[in-house]
Structure formats: structure tokens, C-alpha cells
């Protein structure tokens, strides 16, 4: 019986009256219709954020078009499915702080307003990162000037949104794959103490925000070890750090659940929360078995490297759904340790993976397709919580 609206219910009741169906039969039929109606309404309101509300936040990364609410279908989807947001690019120093003493807060203000008006958990991304730096920073010669840049940047940006940002990715991608500290303008000029300085400045500028260290591949053993050392040093010096962000730029082919589980356990043993901050799963061939998210790595375009240009075969669609199922089963197993799972983008057409590490490819890494419709992977993730 497919009773979907109140109007249809009223109609059913009229028919029953007309045919003089007796009261007990009528009640039974009505109850049956009502329960179908209710379960349909529940399905209609089902969403990732409601399904996982007892477990962890479900987030997405917003581009400019989302912050400005340019596409109503995307806007409805974002508000329905997600209760946490991260700005994909607009809070990076190159964009928000393009010149000394010049800040561009327009989009960041709108981003924060968007989160507040929709009652979402608002993430700040990111305060200190070697990449996407303003050009003037590259020209700085002295350690003092780097320190002044970093200090003013954190004070001004984190200070402006104090009380409005729920958590900051304070330092982003400070580690090499072997767990040593990455050479950057910050490390080169300020030494390894820059990480502690950055966390202390952030804590002072916004005492209420949760402070995270965020990186890719830190579920892998060597880099994880480096991240654990980094976090332990901060803790030993009395510096506030609330969590670690494992980015989660993974592949359906090379996903390593054991590494992920070990890292959830080991990071949480440090007494901090674990967030998956930039989740996506590439379905495309990976040149030279590249892993991770170093945006400086690029490879040549070729048809073999772009096999699903027109559509994703069912078998790959299913493989993607299965991999997402595996990941979310693991997340649910460790729900007490995980604060948030954020997808890196709203839908497939928006993903950075269409342009990395090879430009102009057609990738399918997220839960919503190019028409903003839920994919099999979406249903799989939802089913883990809702299927009876
Ligand atoms: O805004 C310019 C635009 O004016 C210009 O016409 C266009 C031409 O290429 O470039 C635009 O800037 C691009 C920007 O994204 C906005 O689309 C940059 O070239 C491009 O490099 C930049 O890529 C971003 C990348 O970080 C580098 O900042 C990706 O969108 C973003 O998804 C990615 O996100 C990072 C996280 O912040 C940190 N972890 C890894 C993750 C993936 O690389």
C-alpha cells in the first residue's frame, strides 16, 4: 500500500466510508496506512546527519559557489545532509591575507554566517600551511618577519571569528612521509617551535575553538609516528591541542583499514579526538602509485588515465559503495573516539580529484553525483544506520 500524503489518507478514509467497511476492519486498515505513511515521512527526512547524529558530525567542504548559495539544489542538499562545514579554499592565507596588512574577509564572513544561520559546526581551515601562501611571504628573508606574519595572521583571522568557529585546523601538513618535519618557510626560519607557537597563538586568539593538527597519510605507520611525536611534544609543553585531523584522501584500490584503525586507536590514546577531515575515495588509476594529497605533484593527461570519462561502470560504482561501507563500519566501531567525518566536497563535479594529480579527468570520489543525486555509496553509508 503506497499512502504518501495526508490527502491520500483522507481519500482512503472516504472510500472506506462509502463501502461501509466495518469499524474494526477500518481501524486496522487505517493503522496500516498510517504506519506506511509515517515510515515514508521518516525516509523523506532521512539524511546522513540525522542517521549519524548519535555518532559523529557529518561534514562537507564548501566552495565559493556553495557559500554564496548559487545553486539551490546544492544548497538544499548541503543543509539536509551535513551538520559541519569546512571552507575548501577561501580561508587559506593566500586568499584571506593577500598582502601585508591587507585581508579579504568578504567570503570568510559569509561562510561563517552560513554556518551559523544553518546551525552547523564551523571549521576554520587553515591557519599555518606551507602551501597556498601569499606571494609576499615567499619574499620574506628574516625569521623575525616570518614570525610577525604568522603572529599577525593568526591573531587577526582567528581573532575575528573568535566564538564563531568551532574548530581550527591550526597547522596543516607539517610532516614528510617518513614522519620528519617538512621543510617550509616556517620550519626553515623559526625552527620546529613554530608549531607550538602557532597553537599557542590560536588558543589565545580564540580560547573556545577546538584546535587540531591536520595532515594526509598520517594513518600510515611512519608518518603516524611523526604525528604522534609532534602531538606528544605539544602536550608535554602544556600546549592546548584538542584533536588530530586525518584527511582521508584515499583510493578504492589501496585503502588500508588496518592502518586507519590503528591510527584511530593510537591517536585517541593521546587523549585527543580524531576527526576525518577531508574524506574522498579516488576511483581512477593512480600514476606511479601516488598516495596522498601533495598538490605539487602533477602528471600528464592520457585517455588510459581517464577511463570513466562518460560514465562510471556499475562494477566500480559498487566497489566504491563497498569501500565506503567498510570505512563507515570502522568509524562506527570507534564512534566514541571520532568527533567528525567531513567529505572533501559536496558532489563529484566539485571534487579537486578531477584535477589532481592529472588535470581534466572525470573522477567519482564522493557520495553525490554530478546531478547532485545520491549514489549507491550514499545509500550504503545510510543503510549502515537505517536498514532494519
Ligand atoms: O581561484 C583561482 C582562479 O582564480 C583561477 O582561475 C584558477 C585557475 O586554475 O585557479 C583558482 O585557484 C585554484 C583553487 O583551488 C580554487 O579553485 C588553485 O589553482 C588550486 O590549486 C586550488 O586547489 C585547492 C588545493 O587545496 C590547493 O589549495 C583545491 O581546490 C582544494 O581542494 C585543496 O584542498 C587541500 C586542503 O586544503 C588540504 N589538504 C589537501 C587538500 C587537497 O589538495
Amino acid at each position: 500500500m503506497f499512502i504518501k500524503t495526508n490527502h491520500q489518507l483522507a481519500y482512503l478514509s472516504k472510500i472506506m466510508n462509502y463501502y461501509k467497511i466495518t469499524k474494526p476492519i477500518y481501524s486496522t486498515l487505517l493503522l496500516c496506512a498510517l504506519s506506511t505513511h509515517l515510515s515514508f515521512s521518516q525516509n523523506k527526512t532521512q539524511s546522513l546527519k540525522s542517521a549519524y547524529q548519535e555518532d559523529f558530525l557529518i561534514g562537507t567542504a564548501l566552495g565559493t559557489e556553495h557559500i554564496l548559495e548559487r545553486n539551490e539544489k546544492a544548497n538544499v542538499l548541503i543543509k539536509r545532509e551535513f551538520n559541519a562545514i569546512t571552507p575548501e579554499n577561501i580561508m587559506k592565507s593566500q586568499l584571506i591575507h593577500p598582502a601585508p596588512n591587507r585581508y579579504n574577509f568578504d567570503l570568510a564572513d559569509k561562510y561563517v554566517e552560513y554556518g551559523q544561520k544553518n546551525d552547523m559546526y564551523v571549521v576554520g581551515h587553515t591557519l599555518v600551511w606551507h602551501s597556498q601562501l601569499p606571494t609576499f611571504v615567499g619574499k620574506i628573508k628574516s625569521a623575525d618577519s616570518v614570525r610577525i606574519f604568522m603572529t599577525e595572521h593568526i591573531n587577526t583571522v582567528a581573532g575575528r571569528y573568535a566564538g564563531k568557529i568551532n574548530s581550527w585546523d591550526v597547522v596543516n601538513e607539517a610532516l614528510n612521509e617518513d614522519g620528519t618535519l617538512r621543510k617550509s618557510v616556517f620550519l626553515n626560519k623559526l625552527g620546529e617551535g613554530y608549531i607550538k607557537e602557532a597553537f599557542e597563538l590560536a588558543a589565545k586568539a580564540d580560547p573556545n575553538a577546538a584546535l587540531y593538527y591536520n595532515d594526509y597519510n598520517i594513518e600510515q605507520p611512519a608518518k603516524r609516528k611523526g604525528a604522534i611525536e609532534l602531538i606528544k611534544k605539544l602536550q608535554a609543553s602544556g600546549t592546548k591541542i584538542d584533536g588530530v585531523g586525518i584527511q582521508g584522501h584515499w583510493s578504492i584500490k589501496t585503502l588500508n583499514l588496518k592502518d586507519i584503525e590503528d591510527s584511530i586507536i593510537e591517536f585517541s590514546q593521546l587523549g585527543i579526538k580524531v576527526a576525518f577531515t577531508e574524506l574522498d575515495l579516488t576511483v581512477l588509476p593512480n600514476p606511479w602509485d601516488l598516495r596522498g594529497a601533495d598538490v605539487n605533484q602533477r602528471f600528464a593527461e592520457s585517455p588510459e588515465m581517464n577511463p570513466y570519462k562518460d560514465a562510471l561502470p556499475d562494477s566500480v560504482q559498487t566497489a566504491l559503495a563497498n569501500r565506503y561501507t567498510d570505512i563507515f563500519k570502522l568509524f562506527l566501531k570507534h564512534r566514541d573516539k571520532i568527533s567528525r567525518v567531513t567529505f572533501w566536497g559536496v558532489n563529484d563535479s566539485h571534487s579537486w580529484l578531477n584535477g589532481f594529480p592529472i588535470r581534466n579527468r572525470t573522477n567519482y570520489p564522493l557520495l553525490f553525483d554530478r546531478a547532485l543525486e545520491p549514489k549507491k555509496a550514499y545509500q550504503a553509508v545510510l543503510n549502515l544506520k537505517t536498514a532494519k
Side-chain angles (χ1 to χ4, degrees):
M1 195 179 292
F2 297 102
I3 304 295
K4 296 180 181 172
T5 64
N6 290 329
H7 177 76
Q8 284 169 326
L9 267 180
Y11 185 64
L12 176 75
S13 142
K14 265 189 199 161
I15 291 176
M16 287 171 167
N17 276 335
Y18 181 81
Y19 288 109
K20 308 223 171 339
I21 294 173
T22 60
K23 216 169 174 191
I25 300 174
Y26 172 90
S27 309
T28 314
L29 283 171
L30 200 61
L31 263 177
C32 176
L34 257 175
S35 76
T36 314
H37 173 69
L38 273 177
S39 90
F40 184 82
S41 320
Q42 277 161 3
N43 279 337
K44 256 173 82 179
T45 54
Q46 254 174 18
S47 64
L48 294 172
K49 72 173 179 191
S50 59
Y52 283 84
Q53 67 183 341
E54 304 289 315
D55 307 305
F56 34 73
L57 294 163
I58 300 277
T60 187
L62 301 186
T64 303
E65 69 274 28
H66 307 119
I67 296 165
L68 297 180
E69 303 183 59
R70 281 188 184 140
N71 175 335
E72 191 45 25
K73 190 168 179 186
N75 198 23
V76 168
L77 184 158
I78 293 163
K79 293 183 201 169
R80 187 187 64 227
E81 301 291 338
F82 302 108
N83 50 18
I85 50 173
T86 304
E88 186 179 3
N89 285 304
I90 54 105
M91 274 187 165
K92 291 172 181 171
S93 59
Q94 189 180 58
L95 298 168
I96 206 169
H97 188 178
N101 302 318
R102 187 154 69 78
Y103 290 85
N104 184 356
F105 287 124
D106 193 33
L107 279 167
D109 285 357
K110 291 198 169 83
Y111 162 76
V112 172
E113 270 165 38
Y114 183 91
Q116 288 196 311
K117 84 178 175 200
N118 294 307
D119 210 13
M120 289 161 161
Y121 184 94
V122 182
V123 179
H125 175 82
T126 169
L127 291 171
V128 178
W129 190 26
H130 67 278
S131 189
Q132 301 290 103
L133 281 167
T135 40
F136 76 90
V137 178
K139 294 177 189 146
I140 294 178
K141 294 276 176 285
S142 76
D144 280 353
S145 302
V146 174
R147 179 164 286 113
I148 289 169
F149 161 71
M150 188 174 86
T151 306
E152 282 182 352
H153 181 78
I154 296 178
N155 286 346
T156 310
V157 178
R160 181 179 183 89
Y161 301 110
K164 296 177 179 171
I165 291 275
N166 296 91
S167 84
W168 270 108
D169 292 340
V170 179
V171 175
N172 197 41
E173 301 172 7
L175 292 165
N176 294 313
E177 297 308 287
D178 65 0
T180 57
L181 285 177
R182 180 197 286 271
K183 280 193 179 139
S184 69
V185 64
F186 302 106
L187 182 70
N188 298 349
K189 300 287 182 195
L190 305 180
E192 67 175 271
Y194 86 86
I195 298 174
K196 173 175 155 62
E197 282 181 55
F199 274 85
E200 283 173 351
L201 286 164
K204 209 162 161 210
D206 188 352
N208 293 319
L211 305 183
Y212 276 66
Y213 173 70
N214 190 49
D215 211 332
Y216 60 85
N217 287 352
I218 48 171
E219 71 283 357
Q220 293 175 25
K223 201 165 180 181
R224 185 198 317 152
K225 194 159 170 275
I228 289 173
E229 266 168 38
L230 182 158
I231 293 161
K232 277 187 171 166
K233 274 189 192 161
L234 289 175
Q235 291 176 323
S237 67
T239 308
K240 170 180 146 92
I241 173 162
D242 301 286
V244 62
I246 301 174
Q247 292 185 4
H249 295 294
W250 296 323
S251 154
I252 58 166
K253 294 229 171 73
T254 56
L255 186 72
N256 185 329
L257 290 169
K258 176 165 189 319
D259 280 354
I260 300 171
E261 179 158 35
D262 288 349
S263 54
I264 296 172
I265 294 168
E266 288 177 26
F267 283 128
S268 68
Q269 280 169 348
L270 302 173
I272 57 173
K273 280 287 177 192
V274 178
F276 289 86
T277 51
E278 307 185 10
L279 181 60
D280 49 26
L281 288 182
T282 183
V283 302
L284 295 183
N286 216 349
W288 298 279
D289 201 27
L290 175 81
R291 282 193 187 180
D294 186 337
V295 282
N296 297 315
Q297 292 172 288
R298 296 269 173 194
F299 299 89
E301 292 172 38
S302 73
E304 309 80 71
M305 284 296 169
N306 192 19
Y308 314 128
K309 198 168 149 290
D310 301 319
L312 190 64
D314 278 350
S315 59
V316 188
Q317 194 79 261
T318 302
L320 180 74
N322 290 343
R323 298 278 69 188
Y324 268 118
T325 303
D326 296 339
I327 295 173
F328 272 80
K329 270 188 186 159
L330 183 63
F331 290 170
L332 282 170
K333 180 176 171 195
H334 294 287
R335 60 203 276 274
D336 56 321
K337 309 170 188 72
I338 296 174
S339 53
R340 169 171 60 94
V341 176
T342 287
F343 293 89
W344 202 238
V346 174
N347 68 323
D348 287 341
S349 58
H350 164 208
S351 170
W352 72 295
L353 288 170
N354 295 304
F356 173 88
I358 299 173
R359 287 183 213 278
N360 297 318
R361 295 201 296 179
T362 308
N363 211 332
Y364 302 80
L366 298 167
L367 300 191
F368 295 93
D369 68 15
R370 285 175 163 70
L372 292 154
E373 294 296 329
K375 294 158 62 177
K376 198 170 184 177
Y378 169 88
Q379 208 50 56
V381 170
L382 201 59
N383 280 351
L384 285 176
K385 291 294 299 184
T386 54
K388 297 274 173 323

